[in-house]
């Protein structure tokens, strides 16, 4: 068995973890809303038409914030279409996904749903086909107490108290030519600046996220951030990052190394924020919102066929990736990467939450089940709160096509308010188990521990409605703990959560 060592100290701290890094995303896309969270004819539907079985799976993930209503969708969306009597709401062609949006679910209904799941809304405004005026109006509608056109409209629509939405996205992926109203960095930066100013004049308590690059692979990545921030730095609070990974060739070691790219992306964007801060002689710190991240590639071919056969239909089953075991391992490493960068990443959204590139799947009229990626996300959200610790990991490493020095053991650790310590570790080694030696002496007595493990001999193993527990966590082999030192066996290709409690 190979060996690795992890040294922790309660004073080696990365930073406080903002719980919003365990956020997710619901877009009006595919069956995320219609046939996902909302299906009034389903036997599990509640009085508002939301599926109780789906809400229960979401609650178990403890998602503090949900980005809404898009995504690419938002760049052609008129928020006014989605409020008021449902029977009077217009049906619209959605040019982002070539489907028809009925607006049956809008802001009021979605806020009811997030109330049930214990989440807050992160609301995106349309800076594609619209601009600062409509963004100002929706802040007034959502957050102003009363006595103005839009706040009174909200009250007339049945919501006396403001929604109190605290976090707002200034558009979506405005660097991408696929986006309705695509802009250059300078054009977007100017609009983002004016929009942020006006939104904050309506409600000074809000925070806003400016669009960074839609991927680190965009040709404009870097210049986009620098030019855009040069226009709006003082008025924005976060820059967004989006990144999806894929494994079309079946290169598992190369695929599992992709979180190194995510780490480099985060560090580059943080550096760019700080570079602009320096040029402006500013004291204002702009942090990061990694508000779209996941694996995404399994459904691409099926989607092309759907658009050819069923364009403009409602709630097409788009982007329905079926996630396998190796996807769960990479998602685990992406969560580790977010925790490692907790000093700069304050918001992150697993994209998305239900049916659309999602940890939760449903069948119309049928069941709801957890995909493989559900579990690492649930573990990190549940146990990865408090303080991110700077774990020193000594591990053998490997090389693959795009990276050298890829650690076989990818690990980080957190400490909660009660002093309990949780280690998250992915073993990327396809051949070997590891004996992981942990030095925990600085924490004093940690009497009990638990080892949660996800492993499958088949990297392509999936969960389905018929076999929903094919890939699920089990108790791990554990090891020995004494005098502040532990030795735990980490099986080959596995996701591990090792919890030491006071
Ligand atoms: O999450 C799916 C899509 O991916 C989003 O609508 C868009 O922002 C990104 O390109």
């Amino acid at each position: 068995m190979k060996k690795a060592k992890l040294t922790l100290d309660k004073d080696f701290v990365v930073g406080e973890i903002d719980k919003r890094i365990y956020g997710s995303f619901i877009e009006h896309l595919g069956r995320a809303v219609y046939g996902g969270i909302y299906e009034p004819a389903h036997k599990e539907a509640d009085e508002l038409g939301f599926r109780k079985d789906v809400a229960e799976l979401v609650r178990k993930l403890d998602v503090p914030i949900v980005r809404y209503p898009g995504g690419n969708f938002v760049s052609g969306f008129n928020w006014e279409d989605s409020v008021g009597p449902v029977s009077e709401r217009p049906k619209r062609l959605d040019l982002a996904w070539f489907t028809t949006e009925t607006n049956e679910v809008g802001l009021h209904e979605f806020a009811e749903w997030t109330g049930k799941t214990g989440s807050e809304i992160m609301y995106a405004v349309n800076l594609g086909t619209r601009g600062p005026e409509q963004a100002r109006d929706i802040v007034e509608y959502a957050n102003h107490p009363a006595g103005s056109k839009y706040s009174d409209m909200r009250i007339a629509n049945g919501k006396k108290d403001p929604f109190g939405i605290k976090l707002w996205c200034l558009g979506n992926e405005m660097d991408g030519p696929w986006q309705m109203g695509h802009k250059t960095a300078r054009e977007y930066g100017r609009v983002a600046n004016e929009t942020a100013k006006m939104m904050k004049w309506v409600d000074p308590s809000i925070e806003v996220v400016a669009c960074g690059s839609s991927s680190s692979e965009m040709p404009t990545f870097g210049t986009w951030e620098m030019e855009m921030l040069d226009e709006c730095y003082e008025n924005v609070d976060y820059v967004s990052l989006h990144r999806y990974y894929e494994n079309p060739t079946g290169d598992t070691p190369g695929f599992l190394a992709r979180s190194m790219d995510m780490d480099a992306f985060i560090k580059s964007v943080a550096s760019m924020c700080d570079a602009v801060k320096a040029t402006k002689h500013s004291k204002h710190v702009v942090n990061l919102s990694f508000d779209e991240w996941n694996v995404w590639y399994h459904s691409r071919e099926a989607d092309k066929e759907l658009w050819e056969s069923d364009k403009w239909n409602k709630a097409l089953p788009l982007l329905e990736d079926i996630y396998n075991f190796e996807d769960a391992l990479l998602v685990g490493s992406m969560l580790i990467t977010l925790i490692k960068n907790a000093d700069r990443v304050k918001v992150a959204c697993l994209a998305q939450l239900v049916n659309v590139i999602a940890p939760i799947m449903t069948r119309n009229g049928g069941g709801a089940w957890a995909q493989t990626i559900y579990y690492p996300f649930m573990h990190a959200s549940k146990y990865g709160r408090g303080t991110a610790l700077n774990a020193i990991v000594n591990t053998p490493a490997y090389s693959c096509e795009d990276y050298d020095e890829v650690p076989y053991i990818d690990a980080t650790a957190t400490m909660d308010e009660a002093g309990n310590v949780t280690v998250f570790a992915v073993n990327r080694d396809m051949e070997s188990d590891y004996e992981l030696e942990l030095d925990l002496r600085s924490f004093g007595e940690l009497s009990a521990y638990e080892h949660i493990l996800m492993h499958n001999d088949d990297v392509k193993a999936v969960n389905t409605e018929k076999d929903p527990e094919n890939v699920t966590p089990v108790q791990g082999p554990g090891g020995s703990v004494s005098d502040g030192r532990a030795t735990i066996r980490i099986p080959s290709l596995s996701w591990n959560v090792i919890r030491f409690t006071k």
Side-chain angles (χ1 to χ4, degrees):
M1 194 162 22
K2 291 189 189 169
K3 288 182 194 262
K5 183 172 179 196
L6 187 143
T7 305
L8 295 175
D9 190 295
K10 61 177 171 30
D11 295 322
F12 293 177
V13 164
V14 175
E16 282 309 297
I17 296 167
D18 190 318
K19 67 178 182 180
R20 297 175 301 174
I21 69 168
Y22 303 117
S24 191
F25 179 23
I26 289 278
E27 177 167 3
H28 280 254
L29 191 190
R31 296 191 309 123
V33 176
Y34 309 110
I37 62 171
Y38 177 81
E39 194 179 345
H42 196 280
K43 66 175 172 20
E44 286 283 341
D46 65 12
E47 68 293 352
L48 295 172
F50 290 109
R51 280 182 65 158
K52 288 183 278 186
D53 52 348
V54 176
E56 180 57 20
L57 281 165
V58 174
R59 265 193 300 276
K60 283 189 186 147
L61 290 178
D62 197 356
V63 183
I65 196 151
V66 183
R67 188 165 174 250
Y68 178 82
N72 295 339
F73 169 81
V74 84
S75 297
F77 175 61
N78 295 349
W79 68 264
E80 305 90 324
D81 292 348
S82 79
V83 299
V86 175
S87 59
E88 292 171 22
R89 296 183 195 170
K91 292 188 180 60
R92 295 267 191 186
L93 295 185
D94 165 26
L95 306 188
W97 301 107
F98 303 105
T99 53
T100 301
E101 172 57 48
T102 62
N103 285 304
E104 256 173 277
V105 171
L107 176 58
H108 290 249
E109 294 79 18
F110 190 70
E112 290 283 349
W113 182 75
T114 52
K116 291 170 196 282
T117 59
S119 317
E120 288 191 7
I121 299 175
M122 172 184 193
Y123 196 89
V125 301
N126 174 356
L127 292 188
T129 59
R130 305 186 112 190
E133 181 182 1
Q134 295 82 13
R136 173 203 64 187
D137 295 346
I138 175 67
V139 177
E140 181 184 317
Y141 184 90
N143 286 7
H144 192 66
S148 65
K149 173 174 172 176
Y150 291 108
S151 57
D152 288 345
M153 187 193 282
R154 180 196 72 239
I155 294 167
N157 286 337
K159 182 82 171 72
K160 182 170 176 300
D161 294 330
F163 291 103
I165 298 172
K166 292 293 173 212
L167 187 60
W168 297 76
C169 302
L170 300 168
N172 177 70
E173 295 189 348
M174 299 308 303
D175 63 323
W178 58 86
Q179 203 70 217
M180 286 172 264
H182 167 224
K183 294 178 174 43
T184 66
R186 294 262 168 217
E187 285 166 351
Y188 171 70
R190 289 283 305 129
V191 171
N193 192 54
E194 296 309 307
T195 306
K197 262 168 43 185
M198 288 165 59
M199 291 168 76
K200 288 181 172 183
W201 282 338
V202 177
D203 181 354
S205 75
I206 65 169
E207 292 187 310
V208 298
V209 183
C211 292
S213 294
S214 48
S215 155
S216 48
E217 295 202 326
M218 290 295 287
T220 47
F221 171 55
T223 51
W224 172 273
E225 277 74 5
M226 299 298 285
E227 291 180 6
M228 173 277 287
L229 280 171
D230 186 46
E231 299 291 345
C232 64
Y233 188 84
E234 291 298 337
N235 287 311
V236 303
D237 304 287
Y238 306 95
V239 171
S240 73
L241 298 85
H242 291 183
R243 196 69 172 95
Y244 298 97
Y245 295 109
E246 54 188 86
N247 186 16
T249 60
D251 169 17
T252 300
F255 177 62
L256 296 182
R258 293 283 169 213
S259 57
M260 294 183 60
D261 175 80
M262 185 188 199
D263 189 65
F265 187 22
I266 290 171
K267 291 189 165 64
S268 302
V269 178
S271 303
M272 287 188 268
C273 291
D274 294 346
V276 176
K277 176 177 183 244
T279 63
K280 296 195 174 292
H281 305 199
S282 173
K283 289 194 164 45
H284 176 59
V285 176
V286 171
N287 278 314
L288 312 187
S289 171
F290 212 125
D291 48 43
E292 286 188 34
W293 67 269
N294 203 346
V295 173
W296 174 13
Y297 74 102
H298 298 283
S299 59
R300 288 230 164 97
E301 289 308 308
D303 289 348
K304 281 184 204 151
E305 282 174 29
L306 270 173
W307 280 311
E308 274 166 27
S309 62
D310 222 2
K311 205 173 169 184
W312 305 126
N313 210 336
K314 290 180 277 184
L316 290 179
L318 293 167
L319 280 66
E320 299 207 355
D321 273 44
I322 304 302
Y323 290 113
N324 59 34
F325 173 58
E326 68 178 9
D327 297 331
L329 293 179
L330 180 60
V331 162
S333 275
M334 293 174 86
L335 286 158
I336 287 172
T337 306
L338 292 172
I339 294 170
K340 280 181 178 168
N341 288 285
D343 54 334
R344 295 308 295 265
V345 181
K346 301 294 172 187
V347 181
C349 303
L350 174 66
Q352 299 191 7
L353 188 52
V354 180
N355 288 333
V356 171
I357 43 175
I360 298 168
M361 290 302 293
T362 71
R363 184 165 60 82
N364 294 351
W369 64 99
Q371 297 227 57
T372 59
I373 63 169
Y374 181 92
Y375 296 102
F377 187 84
M378 181 181 76
H379 295 148
S381 175
K382 197 166 169 189
Y383 303 123
R385 309 256 174 146
T387 305
L389 298 171
N390 189 358
I392 311 297
V393 188
N394 284 305
T395 165
Y398 65 97
S399 295
C400 57
E401 198 176 321
D402 290 329
Y403 310 95
D404 285 322
E405 290 300 310
V406 183
Y408 273 119
I409 300 295
D410 184 22
T412 191
T414 60
M415 180 173 63
D416 68 17
E417 275 180 3
N420 302 315
V421 177
T422 303
V423 173
F424 300 97
V426 170
N427 180 355
R428 294 178 169 124
D429 197 323
M430 295 185 72
E431 309 292 332
S432 182
D433 293 2
Y434 276 68
E435 194 177 272
L436 181 64
E437 191 191 320
L438 296 131
D439 184 339
L440 306 159
R441 285 172 298 170
S442 77
F443 300 96
E445 174 109 5
L446 289 166
S447 52
Y449 82 98
E450 182 190 14
H451 180 188
I452 303 168
L453 169 73
M454 261 181 94
H455 167 78
N456 200 290
D457 289 337
D458 178 7
V459 289
K460 303 297 179 195
V462 299
N463 292 339
T464 59
E465 184 180 11
K466 283 204 177 115
D467 193 3
E469 294 186 0
N470 187 33
V471 189
T472 47
V474 294
Q475 284 301 310
S480 61
V481 187
S482 71
D483 298 333
R485 290 183 190 273
T487 307
I488 307 287
R489 186 156 71 83
I490 306 288
S492 151
L493 279 190
S494 60
W495 161 252
N496 302 268
V497 182
I498 310 159
R499 303 189 59 234
F500 298 92
T501 45
K502 285 270 178 195

